[in-house]
């Protein structure tokens, strides 16, 4: 039975390509005789043939299914759902996979489990087994929600079975548990990432001289992303954070030998006027004052070269984007990823042929790694150099969380001290560098 809510726009959202994203807004809460501000997570969609974004009724999923969750959990669920919807719209636009054609004319009313299976398969190369399963569970809840509203049909139904609850109460109590429709069902073919893959099969660090060579190769042959590479290695930035940077989001502090970065989701500014897939071009954790340290002494040189390249770019169509593609448009995460992938394989050949380190090159070929290696190098460099030791001489996980931009229950308190922590690390880098120069001269 159809719900009496007006969900007609939900059923027809795929008549034309439509973008979705999550948004966090501040609202005034007058409930319980209170008058205070609180955060609210919503889903918004792009209005047809317009640059305007409007609230989507899919936000009701966050209010009902996720009502008791924390804001961070709601953001996670909303991000997975919007990524899924944008994936579907992209598949419809491309027209290669015929199973999505039915959605072009019928919208979500004809959504089925094959569409979800295709999405899960698309995640295999860039996500761990656990990540894919987490996203699968969220989307199964989303499917169950749509079916119970009467939006989808039997092809998208998720079975729920009663499971007894152990209790001292003599009454029979049960909870309802969703049944994964893909388990033991040969009708659907899903290639999950290898569940047995252990951390030793993932490259998580490079020796300092090696990553210096990696940066140099990027600087020489991949100048369009060289600045991104150094920002990731010396600041721990994520791929989505890199492509959301603008020129005015970076503040140089040459005297103190570091830069600070304002990390925000700027998709509206950078990508809103283009009909492209931006599901990987998102910022996981917006924050201010993210430090990037001049670990190798090349940070400002690479910055200057990058800005000069932007200023001389005759194709440049966006004058605030920090990273541009070959067409002069703001670079998406997919383009950055492709450029990084080419750099990676060129570097492996460089390690093999130029550095004569065949065994190391073989290790780099076998192990799994991408642009996230920069974040790993950043973390390990801070630890190995002793930059994170507290007054007791112990490594401080709190400092590491702050410098990496990780979430924690005390994040608000921690960010109050970000500037002092940044300058403390910068001062220590200067001290270590001065000692190294002195020892070399002697």
């Amino acid at each position: 039975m159809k719900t009496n809510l007006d969900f007609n726009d939900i059923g027809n959202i795929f008549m034309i390509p439509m973008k979705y994203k999550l948004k966090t807004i501040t609202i005034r809460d007058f409930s319980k005789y209170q008058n205070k501000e609180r955060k609210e997570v919503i889903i918004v969609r792009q209005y047809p043939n317009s640059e305007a974004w409007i609230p989507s009724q899919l936000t009701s999923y966050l209010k009902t299914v996720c009502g008791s969750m924390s804001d961070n959990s709601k953001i996670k669920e909303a991000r997975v759902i919007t990524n899924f919807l944008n994936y579907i719209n992209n598949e419809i636009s491309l027209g290669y996979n015929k199973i999505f054609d039915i959605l072009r004319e019928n919208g979500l009313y004809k959504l089925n489990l094959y569409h979800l299976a295709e999405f899960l398969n698309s995640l295999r190369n860039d996500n761990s087994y656990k990540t894919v399963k987490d996203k699968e569970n969220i989307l199964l809840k989303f499917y169950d929600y749509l079916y119970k509203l009467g939006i989808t049909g039997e092809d998208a139904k998720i079975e729920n079975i009663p499971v007894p609850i152990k209790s001292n109460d003599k009454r029979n109590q049960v909870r309802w548990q969703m049944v994964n429709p893909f388990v033991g069902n040969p009708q659907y073919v899903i290639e999950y990432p290898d569940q047995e893959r252990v951390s030793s099969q993932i490259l998580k660090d490079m020796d300092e001289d090696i990553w210096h060579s990696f940066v140099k190769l990027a600087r020489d042959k991949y100048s369009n992303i060289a600045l991104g590479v150094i920002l990731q290695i010396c600041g721990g930035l994520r791929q989505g954070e890199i492509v959301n940077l603008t020129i005015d989001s970076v503040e140089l502090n040459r005297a103190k030998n570091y830069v600070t970065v304002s990390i925000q989701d700027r998709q509206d500014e950078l990508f809103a006027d283009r009909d492209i897939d931006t599901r990987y071009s998102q910022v996981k954790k917006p924050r201010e004052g993210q430090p990037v340290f001049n670990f190798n002494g090349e940070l400002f040189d690479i910055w200057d070269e990058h800005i000069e390249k932007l200023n001389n770019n005759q194709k440049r169509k966006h004058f605030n984007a920090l990273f541009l593609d070959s067409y002069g448009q703001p670079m998406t995460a997919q383009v950055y990823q492709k450029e990084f992938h080419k750099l990676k394989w060129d570097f492996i050949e460089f390690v093999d042929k130029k550095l004569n380190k065949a065994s190391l090159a073989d290790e780099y070929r076998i192990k799994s790694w991408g642009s996230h290696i920069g974040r790993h190098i950043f973390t390990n460099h801070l630890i190995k150099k002793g930059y994170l030791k507290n007054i007791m001489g112990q490594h401080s996980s709190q400092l590491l969380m702050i410098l990496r931009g990780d979430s924690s229950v005390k994040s608000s308190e921690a960010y109050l001290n970000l500037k002092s922590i940044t300058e403390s690390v910068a001062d220590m880098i200067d001290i270590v560098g001065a000692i190294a120069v002195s020892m070399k001269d002697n």
Side-chain angles (χ1 to χ4, degrees), residues 28-44:
R28 181 68 64 177
D29 186 356
F30 291 99
S31 62
K32 299 180 181 179
Y33 304 102
Q34 295 177 341
N35 182 1
K36 62 180 182 178
E37 291 185 343
R38 64 179 175 84
K39 298 293 185 181
E40 186 80 12
V41 183
I42 65 172
I43 296 174
V44 296

Side-chain angles (χ1 to χ4, degrees), residues 60-75:
S60 63
Y61 170 87
L62 302 177
K63 292 181 178 295
T64 55
V65 180
C66 309
S68 61
M69 293 182 180
S70 67
D71 286 344
N72 285 340
S73 295
K74 289 179 182 178
I75 288 172

Side-chain angles (χ1 to χ4, degrees), residues 373-389:
I373 185 67
R375 192 162 166 81
H376 292 313
I377 293 172
F378 174 70
T379 302
N380 287 307
H381 190 77
L382 290 172
I383 295 171
K384 288 186 290 188
K385 293 294 185 179
Y387 297 148
L388 299 174
K389 289 185 179 179

Side-chain angles (χ1 to χ4, degrees), residues 35-129:
N35 182 1
K36 62 180 182 178
E37 291 185 343
R38 64 179 175 84
K39 298 293 185 181
E40 186 80 12
V41 183
I42 65 172
I43 296 174
V44 296
R45 64 181 178 90
Q46 193 171 27
Y47 194 75
N49 303 316
S50 169
E51 296 184 5
W53 292 83
I54 61 175
S56 166
Q57 298 221 39
L58 291 176
T59 298
S60 63
Y61 170 87
L62 302 177
K63 292 181 178 295
T64 55
V65 180
C66 309
S68 61
M69 293 182 180
S70 67
D71 286 344
N72 285 340
S73 295
K74 289 179 182 178
I75 288 172
K76 178 181 178 181
E77 300 248 344
R79 181 173 286 118
V80 172
I81 290 170
T82 54
N83 285 350
F84 175 58
L85 296 174
N86 290 333
Y87 166 80
I88 290 177
N89 273 308
N90 191 56
E91 290 297 319
I92 293 172
S93 299
L94 292 174
Y96 296 142
N97 194 334
K98 299 303 180 185
I99 73 167
F100 291 93
D101 287 351
I102 194 172
L103 301 178
R104 189 189 306 276
E105 300 298 329
N106 298 280
L108 278 181
Y109 290 115
K110 290 298 182 180
L111 187 70
N112 61 49
L113 291 169
Y114 286 104
H115 301 126
L116 176 54
E118 289 293 307
F119 175 70
L120 296 175
N121 281 323
S122 75
L123 302 175
R124 186 178 191 276
N125 293 329
D126 300 311
N127 295 269
S128 67
Y129 175 84

